[in-house]
Amino acid sequence: MIRGRDEIYEVSLPDLKLGKKLYGAEGYDVDGIVENATGDDIDGITVTDRFGHTIWLNPKLKEIQDAVDKAVGTRRARIVSWDRTRSKFLVQVGSPSQAGALYFYDPANGSMQRYSWQNTDLKGRMLSPVTTIRYMARDGVEIEALLTLPRGRSPKALPLIVLPHGGPFARDSEDWDWWAQYLAETGYAVVQPNYRGSSGYGTVFARRGEGQWGLKMQDDLNDAIVDLAKKGIADPKRVCMAGASYGGYAAMRAAQRDGALYRCAISYAGVSDLQAMQRYDGKFLYGKTRGDWLKKQAPDYRSVSPRFGAADFSIPILILHGREDKRVPVKQSRMMAAALKEAGKPYDYIEQPLGDHHFTRAEDRLEFLKAMGAFLAKYNPA
């Protein structure tokens, strides 16, 4: 890790002295490496800048990647698997606007055969366009975000959905996102901010999130509205926030703290009580390289836990959770719903009997989308 970002260097043994730098992505962390077939060298380096891809150091694999890239045109191709001899490959082909397909590729005969569609209903359909944008937070920190605009509509004064990612040690990039595409196809502009504390931008940016759970991290989300309104893209009077996991927490927090900016909020598998979450999972936001980041984030758990601010909720909220969620227990949403009921605040609550944390079942995704669509049509129609 040099200059606060993950990069790839040669290292001598046994003194671990850094040697030649093999690769570094300006402004981004390197994700990892691809070992060669014998495990004594590396064939490639994986990185996510605007989107995830592999920098191939192996000349043969680079040649194959170049050939595949040429074959798929404006779409993006990523080699995701190969046989032991690395002579036959599975290649994922698609774009942020297309679910795409998985192909079998044999360079020996140049054939590329479709193995399966990623989505058998959408197949190769191109949906709404996705771009990477940047804006300045109120304290001068630059935030990168994804913006999905509804195809066929003028990008002016659109209703907006702020869709923060989970984690929060994660980030969104230009990849296929069924949730954002559904919202855009319904008529909404969708912004997905990589707020401070997100991963992939180096340690300095990650550490900006320390002490800011539900505070400056939340401000970063709100500042996206200001930026898109200034550009004329979004109507600041027609905004809702939606998210899952940490994004679900952020939606609850928006309804509690920033209701003047939003018409409604939607939380899937959100955290409502940070102290209860830490009791459930002692490693909640704890990592060997970061220490107890949660305590730095929120020394006063109660003040940033939406469950204890139910009386302050000023907009309707839709809460969904799966009973089989092992990452964030369903009790987190049950407690939030109970607190809202006691406070006499408007909310809808749906519990999915077989739902987990990751929308594994298509049936749960479909139920969620239908419920969200109906909720938005009522409180923030497109």
Side-chain angles (χ1 to χ4, degrees), residues 252-253 255-257 272 302-314 336 339-340 343 345:
M252 293 178 184
R253 182 70 166 151
Q256 174 205 355
R257 196 191 77 153
S272 68
R302 190 181 184 94
S303 69
V304 292
S305 292
R307 174 192 176 192
F308 301 108
D312 299 324
F313 276 56
S314 56
M336 188 72 255
L340 290 170
K345 299 296 182 176

Side-chain angles (χ1 to χ4, degrees), residues 96-97 122 127-128 130 148-151 161 163 176-190 192 242 266 365-377 382:
S97 306
L122 294 175
L127 301 184
S128 295
V130 181
T148 305
L149 295 175
R151 61 189 172 103
I161 305 296
L163 186 64
W176 170 257
D177 187 318
W178 59 268
W179 191 344
Q181 285 294 328
Y182 169 83
L183 290 167
E185 288 295 301
T186 311
Y188 299 93
V190 183
Q192 296 171 273
I266 300 163
R365 292 195 295 273
L366 183 58
E367 180 186 33
F368 167 73
L369 291 178
K370 287 181 176 179
M372 178 173 65
F375 186 79
L376 288 173

Side-chain angles (χ1 to χ4, degrees), residues 178 267-269 318-325 330 333-334 349-372:
W178 59 268
S267 169
Y268 186 90
L318 171 63
I319 301 172
L320 296 95
H321 215 124
R323 291 180 197 168
E324 297 300 316
D325 191 334
V330 67
S333 287
R334 289 175 178 174
Y349 179 61
I350 297 174
E351 204 167 283
Q352 296 181 320
L354 300 177
D356 61 15
H357 193 67
H358 304 287
F359 286 115
T360 301
R361 288 171 15 102
E363 296 89 342
D364 295 324
R365 292 195 295 273
L366 183 58
E367 180 186 33
F368 167 73
L369 291 178
K370 287 181 176 179
M372 178 173 65

Side-chain angles (χ1 to χ4, degrees), residues 91-108:
V91 183
Q92 183 176 310
V93 178
S95 78
S97 306
Q98 182 193 65
L102 193 64
Y103 288 83
F104 173 76
Y105 179 52
D106 184 354

Side-chain angles (χ1 to χ4, degrees), residues 9-211:
Y9 279 76
E10 291 181 344
V11 178
S12 62
L13 298 176
D15 60 358
L16 300 181
K17 184 178 179 179
L18 287 182
K20 175 185 175 183
K21 184 171 83 168
L22 298 179
Y23 185 79
E26 187 63 35
Y28 301 94
D29 289 327
V30 166
D31 295 332
I33 62 171
V34 179
E35 292 185 355
N36 66 358
T38 55
D40 57 2
D41 203 346
I42 62 175
D43 272 346
I45 298 166
T46 57
V47 63
T48 303
D49 36 44
R50 287 191 303 111
F51 57 94
H53 55 105
T54 303
I55 308 297
W56 293 109
L57 305 181
N58 181 310
K60 176 185 175 183
L61 293 174
K62 184 180 184 305
E63 183 180 343
I64 291 170
Q65 180 72 61
D66 290 344
V68 171
D69 287 342
K70 184 177 180 180
V72 302
T74 59
R75 295 175 296 167
R76 294 170 184 164
R78 189 165 190 176
I79 300 171
V80 295
S81 187
W82 44 76
D83 64 356
R84 289 182 179 179
T85 63
R86 302 200 175 184
S87 61
K88 296 178 176 60
F89 303 87
L90 287 179
V91 183
Q92 183 176 310
V93 178
S95 78
S97 306
Q98 182 193 65
L102 193 64
Y103 288 83
F104 173 76
Y105 179 52
D106 184 354
N109 57 30
S111 66
M112 195 166 175
Q113 300 175 329
R114 189 174 65 245
Y115 180 74
S116 67
W117 293 109
Q118 299 281 54
N119 184 302
T120 55
D121 292 320
L122 294 175
K123 295 185 177 179
R125 287 179 59 191
M126 295 294 292
L127 301 184
S128 295
V130 181
T131 56
T132 296
I133 64 170
R134 290 179 175 83
Y135 62 90
M136 300 301 287
R138 64 192 68 184
D139 62 354
V141 174
E142 185 178 65
I143 304 297
E144 188 175 78
L146 296 185
L147 178 64
T148 305
L149 295 175
R151 61 189 172 103
R153 296 192 60 175
S154 175
K156 296 179 180 179
L158 293 167
L160 177 68
I161 305 296
V162 180
L163 186 64
H165 61 74
F169 300 130
R171 60 173 287 217
D172 286 316
S173 59
E174 291 182 16
D175 295 302
W176 170 257
D177 187 318
W178 59 268
W179 191 344
Q181 285 294 328
Y182 169 83
L183 290 167
E185 288 295 301
T186 311
Y188 299 93
V190 183
V191 65
Q192 296 171 273
N194 287 321
Y195 46 84
R196 70 192 69 202
S198 299
S199 62
Y201 299 101
T203 56
V204 173
F205 189 78
R207 286 172 179 163
R208 290 186 186 278
E210 292 181 355

